Amino acid sequence: MEQAFNSILEKLHIASPKDEGVPAKEPNEEELKALKERYAKAGQEHVLAFYDELDVAGKASLYDQLSDINPENINAITRRALNPSSESKEPVETKLEPLPESAVASILDSKTEDIGSWYSSGLDLIAEGKVAVVLMAGGQGTRLGSSAPKGCFNIGLPSEKSLFQIQAERIYKIQQLAEKRHEKKNVVLPWYVMTSGPTRRPTEKFFQDHDYFGLGKDNVVIFEQGVLPCISNDGKILLESKGKVAVAPDGNGGIYQALLTSNVRTDMRKRGIQHVHAYCVDNCLVKVADPVFIGFAASKNVDVATKVVRKRNAKEPVGLILLKDGKPDVMEYSEIDSATAEAKDTKQPDILKFRAANIVNHYYSFRFLETIEHWVHQLPHHVARKKIPYLDTEKGEVIKPEKPNGIKLEQFVFDVFPMIALDKFASLEVNREDEFSPLKNAKGTGEDDPDTSRADILLQGTKWVQSAGGIVISESEADKSGVEISPLISYASAGEGLEFLKHKTIKSPAVIDVEHI
């Protein structure tokens, strides 16, 4: 069934790259005729305007690319994305409510014994080989001034570690903790790294060059999300060149189809995975495969759970996880009116009623991922209006527009939330300072940039040292650099692996990467 569905998905999205080393083969006359008829029927025949000018390799490449696109489907999803209300009934007032108390918990005010229980059960599941991690790492560091995958970025830590290395070392450490707890060897926490077309090869090389950070090549699976054609403002598929369609990654919501087309789900099934943690690469504080989160979700027997942080204030521009017309959903800041944003919690009037900020940090039961075929086609596509370089099919010239000339279609990972039964959905509020510091902007921006990411890690390390009974001193009052603690020393807290720091004095900036100083 999975193989059959993969063939359907390949018609919805462009397939993964063909095997390299296979000689280019020009389609025969009958194959070309059928392709032309298919595109002409969809009103997209212009994509073959320069076919006859291409060499054999160019013809084969364009034929393969166009064969993997269903133009009628592209037309349909474009119409739905541009006119989302045209297929719905008369609009009604949307009812918004916070998630019910039965579906939520907060690290900020949960009982210590509950948190401890979640941690223990989560670590047990890791030790039993039932947990996997999916990293969404398709983005490039363009805003950061780098064309490399964002995970390769060095945020300026004293150790000069990349985001990939920081996260890999957290996986390595949690494997060690699970081994120690269960007195067993070779606990494996497989890491599935989702890339995009532009980032796949650089990501593969980065991991190869760093020997997979000690995790083992077989346990780091790098795969690629799908792409969709870029569309002009008048609904036409855009060409990048005479022999290539302009495409763009299908958004982080493409994760679900990618799990199938890449056979990642099959690999998970063979390994006996039952619980999956998925997150974005740009969060330097992420607790990868957090046992507390895994244990929390497993204890509730839910299919989807999400971590949230408390919204700072009513005007903070973040998406919120809430109930929309009785269903779990995410609403963007721009979709919420001021009165709703400023509403206070009736039980805790000093905090906001709607405060659960989405940080794209999710849990999935594997049984839920086994049902992807049944609902993936229902996920909506969203429109991003962009300036897209394209080939003018009348002049045969590449045009670089000065204003948005087309759209890129994408899906969001949270689009699946409304499909989840409320009793199968949960949310865990965590401390922002402990778990969320996104890297979005160029250095010097002052918000969500390399400087803030670096500062947040060093501040966290300083707190851990102090909580462990150590003392941190600086060169001067103005020096607030702090301490970097290697994930290989401590995964998540001062109470784990840092006992040797008691009564020790640390001069910042410092890196603690050995268990003695």
Side-chain angles (χ1 to χ4, degrees), residues 6 9-17 65 68-69 74 77 136-139 193-200 223-230 246-262 376 381 408-411:
N6 284 350
L9 291 180
E10 289 170 0
K11 301 304 179 185
L12 290 170
H13 286 240
I14 296 175
S16 299
Q65 188 185 28
D68 288 332
I69 300 173
I74 296 301
I77 62 177
M136 291 173 276
V193 182
M194 186 177 79
T195 63
S196 62
T199 64
R200 180 169 186 162
F223 66 108
E224 190 174 327
Q225 69 184 101
V227 293
L228 285 168
C230 298
V247 298
D250 54 6
N252 58 21
I255 184 175
Y256 305 113
Q257 291 179 351
L259 291 175
L260 302 188
T261 56
S262 64
V376 70
H381 288 80
K408 294 182 179 181
L409 297 165
E410 59 183 358
Q411 294 177 309

Side-chain angles (χ1 to χ4, degrees), residues 139-420:
Q140 293 173 284
T142 308
R143 293 189 196 174
L144 310 175
S146 169
S147 61
K150 191 179 283 188
C152 301
F153 196 79
N154 169 7
I155 60 175
L157 290 172
S159 68
E160 298 188 351
K161 290 177 181 178
S162 65
L163 291 171
F164 279 144
Q165 183 171 352
I166 294 167
Q167 294 162 23
E169 290 182 354
R170 288 183 183 138
I171 291 176
Y172 193 95
K173 182 62 175 179
I174 204 67
Q175 289 177 163
Q176 288 186 325
L177 291 173
E179 289 172 353
K180 183 178 180 180
R181 179 182 178 86
H182 284 261
E183 298 183 346
K184 63 187 295 186
K185 295 182 179 181
N186 302 319
V187 167
V188 172
L189 184 58
W191 197 16
Y192 300 92
V193 182
M194 186 177 79
T195 63
S196 62
T199 64
R200 180 169 186 162
R201 295 195 188 286
T203 299
E204 289 175 334
K205 186 176 186 306
F206 194 81
F207 274 85
Q208 290 165 3
D209 291 347
H210 292 82
D211 196 25
Y212 298 88
F213 303 103
L215 296 175
K217 181 179 179 180
D218 292 342
N219 298 317
V220 179
V221 179
I222 298 172
F223 66 108
E224 190 174 327
Q225 69 184 101
V227 293
L228 285 168
C230 298
I231 309 296
S232 70
N233 286 332
D234 57 356
K236 297 296 184 181
I237 294 174
L238 292 172
L239 289 175
E240 176 183 309
S241 65
K242 292 182 178 181
K244 188 176 182 181
V245 172
V247 298
D250 54 6
N252 58 21
I255 184 175
Y256 305 113
Q257 291 179 351
L259 291 175
L260 302 188
T261 56
S262 64
N263 290 320
V264 162
R265 190 180 67 174
T266 299
D267 188 72
M268 288 181 178
R269 187 185 301 121
K270 290 178 180 177
R271 293 175 185 263
I273 299 301
Q274 295 181 11
H275 310 274
V276 178
H277 179 216
Y279 69 97
C280 285
V281 72
D282 61 3
N283 179 12
C284 67
L285 293 181
V286 63
K287 291 183 179 179
V288 188
D290 178 14
V292 173
F293 188 38
I294 300 295
F296 163 76
S299 71
K300 285 188 166 293
N301 193 31
V302 295
D303 285 332
V304 175
T306 182
K307 280 190 178 184
V308 300
V309 296
R310 190 166 294 182
K311 189 177 179 181
R312 288 193 176 109
N313 55 63
K315 296 187 181 301
E316 184 182 9
V318 293
L320 294 175
I321 294 177
L322 40 65
L323 286 185
K324 181 179 178 182
D325 295 329
K327 298 178 180 180
D329 210 338
V330 173
M331 286 199 72
E332 297 299 339
Y333 171 73
S334 59
E335 299 177 295
I336 300 174
D337 61 59
S338 297
T340 302
E342 295 170 4
K344 298 292 186 178
D345 189 307
T346 54
K347 293 184 178 180
Q348 303 178 74
D350 57 329
I351 61 176
L352 296 171
K353 178 180 181 180
F354 297 98
R355 57 184 179 273
N358 177 35
I359 60 173
V360 196
N361 191 322
H362 308 312
Y363 161 94
Y364 300 93
S365 70
F366 187 74
R367 66 171 180 253
F368 175 68
L369 297 181
E370 288 279 38
T371 70
I372 291 175
E373 294 91 336
H374 302 299
W375 47 260
V376 70
H377 59 283
Q378 299 175 37
L379 296 178
H381 288 80
H382 307 273
V383 170
R385 298 192 180 275
K386 300 285 186 178
K387 292 185 287 186
I388 307 170
Y390 69 100
L391 183 80
D392 186 320
T393 54
E394 293 184 3
K395 299 178 180 179
E397 300 175 353
V398 174
I399 306 297
K400 293 186 177 180
E402 296 181 356
K403 59 182 181 179
N405 64 308
I407 62 173
K408 294 182 179 181
L409 297 165
E410 59 183 358
Q411 294 177 309
F412 299 150
V413 67
F414 54 74
D415 285 332
V416 74
F417 289 3
M419 300 179 187
I420 310 299

Side-chain angles (χ1 to χ4, degrees), residues 98-112:
L99 291 174
E101 291 185 6
S102 60
V104 301
S106 175
I107 294 295
L108 281 64
D109 55 22
S110 289
K111 296 178 180 178
T112 302

